[in-house]
Amino acid sequence: MVGIAAKGSFSRKLLKSGLGSAGVNVLQRLLALGSGIILARGLGTEGYGTYAYALAMMGLLMIAAEAGIPNLLMREVAACQAREQWGALKGAIVRGSQVVLVVSLLVMLFGHACLWFFRDHFDSSFYVTTLIMLLVLPMAATLRTMASAIKGLHRVVAGQAIEMLVPPSLMLIVLVPVFLLSTKYRAPEYVMGAQLVTMFIVLLLSLVLLRRLVSVEVLIAPRVMPSGAWVRRAIPFTLIGGALIINNQADVIMLGWFRPVSEVGVYRVSSQSAMLVGFLLQAGGAVAGPHFASLFANKDRHKIAKLLRRTTLLAALGSLPIALALVFYGDIILALVFGEPYRVGGLTLAILTVGYFANVSFGPVGMLLQMVGEESVTARVLWVTAGLNIVLNLILIPNFGSVGAAIATAVSVALYHGILRVIVRSRIGV
């Protein structure tokens, strides 16, 4: 009877977390869509392309700035909580935050030096936008670290909200008045300035939230700082995060090399729209991640398999209607929502949608492997597919533009998740 009650309690807790996470993801996508519409219409294809390019560069710099710590921290916090190692839990949060803060500040300084050195090669709008982006970088990296610690405490919805929901909400609050004041403020540098203000506020909120969510046992426990080996274990996560960011940003960066910045703006809109397909899988993976770590620590493979199947099925069924609408009516949707100049992104949107839906059908296999200590093999596979992504972009973009970038991204990302699903079955047996 106790086992049945415990099983029911676990299922109810998982369902509650899943619904909450899905709600956060829905709201985040709606807010991102709202701000995307405002930016796309207000900045135009060229201004929005400049802003998107700066964000893509920040994504690449986040590889070094995060140093692989956020996902490692989420795993370690969840495992320490499962074993009731309160001092080690406190030490992991402190050490992880210290590493990310120091490394991200160094990356920011290096970026400023490079930007100043090549300043004559950029127009004023691009230069100022990139300059402000570099100030946002360390705050964004620290925020992700705090959010990952909160998720590791099994407060997944709270962690997702502070990372995914609060920033776009505040961004809209700051952005709308700026755009309404004068048309001269409808420029990418002012938008990035609003991003800077927003990120600073959210970072302060995340620190307060984490302090309130840790248990009394953690607060009073003597701090047990992890060894240097703990920090070295972040290297595979750095490789994984780096390859993921390359897969997500290489298309935008390389498209900007070969094509006008206005085409980058159209592609960005198409890419963001296609990502709507994967939000349910993202929500399910974020909820399942800490549970994967806890279940693996207790050697409960049966529940791991069951959790993986449920998460995959729910994400696929929920994403299918969205995928069908974007594939068959994407050009109409882009024109109605973002404006007529973005209608040309319909084919790009359809290709990316097919690729992202393929990812959903494989389930949160990447998160599972990271949470059970198989991050090294995940990193190797991811870097192979990231290399493929770069090669395909180099081949396809010069001849096919944004369509070629979409094909490269869809193929490489879908292949990555397919290979990981095979590895999950062979190594974990689920």
Side-chain angles (χ1 to χ4, degrees):
M1 293 295 293
V2 176
I4 295 175
K7 180 178 179 180
S9 177
F10 176 80
S11 298
R12 286 194 298 272
K13 182 178 179 181
L14 187 61
L15 179 60
K16 182 179 178 181
S17 297
L19 291 174
S21 179
V24 169
N25 275 268
V26 169
L27 290 174
Q28 189 269 341
R29 294 296 180 183
L30 290 175
L31 288 168
L33 180 63
S35 61
I37 293 170
I38 294 173
L39 291 173
R41 288 182 174 273
L43 297 178
T45 56
E46 184 172 347
Y48 190 58
T50 299
Y51 178 70
Y53 201 79
L55 287 182
M57 287 193 297
M58 186 172 77
L60 290 179
L61 293 175
M62 286 285 281
I63 299 172
E66 292 179 357
I69 294 297
N71 281 339
L72 173 64
L73 184 59
M74 180 172 68
R75 187 184 77 181
E76 294 299 310
V77 167
C80 288
Q81 187 176 52
R83 303 186 187 106
E84 299 185 355
Q85 297 173 338
W86 309 124
L89 192 156
K90 179 192 287 187
I93 294 176
V94 172
R95 177 63 76 221
S97 303
Q98 290 173 342
V99 172
V100 169
L101 181 60
V102 170
V103 174
S104 62
L105 287 174
L106 291 175
V107 173
M108 180 195 73
L109 293 174
F110 177 77
H112 278 295
C114 293
L115 186 64
W116 182 85
F117 186 79
F118 293 103
R119 63 190 183 281
D120 294 334
H121 298 274
F122 308 125
D123 62 57
S124 59
S125 179
F126 183 88
Y127 180 84
V128 175
T129 302
T130 307
L131 184 71
I132 299 173
M133 175 273 290
L134 290 169
L135 298 176
V136 176
L137 178 68
M139 289 187 284
T142 305
L143 173 62
R144 283 205 56 193
T145 305
M146 297 297 99
S148 295
I150 293 170
K151 295 174 190 176
L153 293 170
H154 293 287
R155 302 299 185 94
V156 176
V157 175
Q160 285 185 307
I162 200 67
E163 181 184 7
M164 301 167 53
L165 190 57
V166 179
S169 300
L170 290 179
M171 184 67 174
L172 280 176
I173 293 174
V174 174
L175 189 63
V176 171
V178 168
F179 269 39
L180 291 177
L181 285 175
S182 174
T183 55
K184 75 174 184 178
Y185 295 121
R186 298 177 186 178
E189 55 266 36
Y190 289 102
V191 176
M192 193 62 74
Q195 186 86 3
L196 178 64
V197 174
T198 296
M199 194 59 64
F200 178 75
I201 296 173
V202 178
L203 179 58
L204 294 179
L205 292 175
S206 70
L207 293 172
V208 173
L209 179 61
L210 179 60
R211 177 64 175 77
R212 292 177 62 88
L213 288 179
V214 294
S215 64
V216 176
E217 292 87 350
V218 175
L219 293 175
I220 64 176
R223 185 189 304 168
V224 179
M225 300 298 286
S227 64
W230 184 88
V231 177
R232 287 194 295 272
R233 287 202 295 271
I235 294 176
F237 288 98
T238 303
L239 297 175
I240 292 170
L244 277 172
I245 291 172
I246 288 174
N247 269 336
N248 291 333
Q249 305 293 351
D251 47 2
V252 175
I253 295 291
M254 299 179 74
L255 186 63
W257 290 350
F258 296 104
R259 294 287 180 153
V261 70
S262 59
E263 188 169 349
V264 175
V266 175
Y267 183 83
R268 169 76 173 181
V269 165
S270 300
S271 179
Q272 284 185 314
S273 301
M275 288 180 182
L276 290 170
V277 175
F279 85 90
L280 286 177
L281 180 64
Q282 183 182 3
V287 171
H291 292 290
F292 283 144
S294 299
L295 292 172
F296 189 77
N298 294 324
K299 300 180 180 180
D300 195 340
R301 294 177 183 270
H302 175 71
K303 281 189 176 179
I304 291 176
K306 188 175 182 180
L307 179 57
L308 178 62
R309 288 195 300 270
R310 285 184 175 180
T311 305
T312 304
L313 181 61
L314 290 174
L317 290 177
S319 301
L320 182 59
I322 301 174
L324 292 175
L326 294 178
V327 168
F328 292 105
Y329 303 102
D331 56 341
I332 299 174
I333 293 173
L334 291 178
L336 289 175
V337 176
F338 296 97
E340 191 63 33
Y342 296 92
R343 181 187 290 272
V344 295
L347 179 56
T348 300
L349 174 58
I351 295 170
L352 290 170
T353 298
V354 172
Y356 287 131
F357 185 75
N359 297 344
V360 174
S361 66
F362 292 120
V365 287
M367 177 64 73
L368 172 57
L369 288 171
Q370 291 181 52
M371 292 299 104
V372 301
E374 294 286 352
E375 59 271 11
S376 295
V377 66
T378 306
R380 289 195 295 270
V381 174
L382 191 50
W383 274 101
V384 169
T385 54
L388 174 65
N389 189 5
I390 293 174
V391 171
L392 289 176
N393 273 301
L394 285 172
I395 295 172
L396 296 175
I397 289 178
N399 294 319
F400 302 102
S402 58
V403 173
I407 294 172
T409 298
V411 170
S412 58
V413 174
L415 181 63
Y416 163 67
H417 283 83
I419 294 173
L420 289 190
R421 187 65 187 90
V422 175
I423 293 174
V424 164
R425 185 175 294 110
S426 63
R427 294 204 175 193
I428 305 177
V430 297

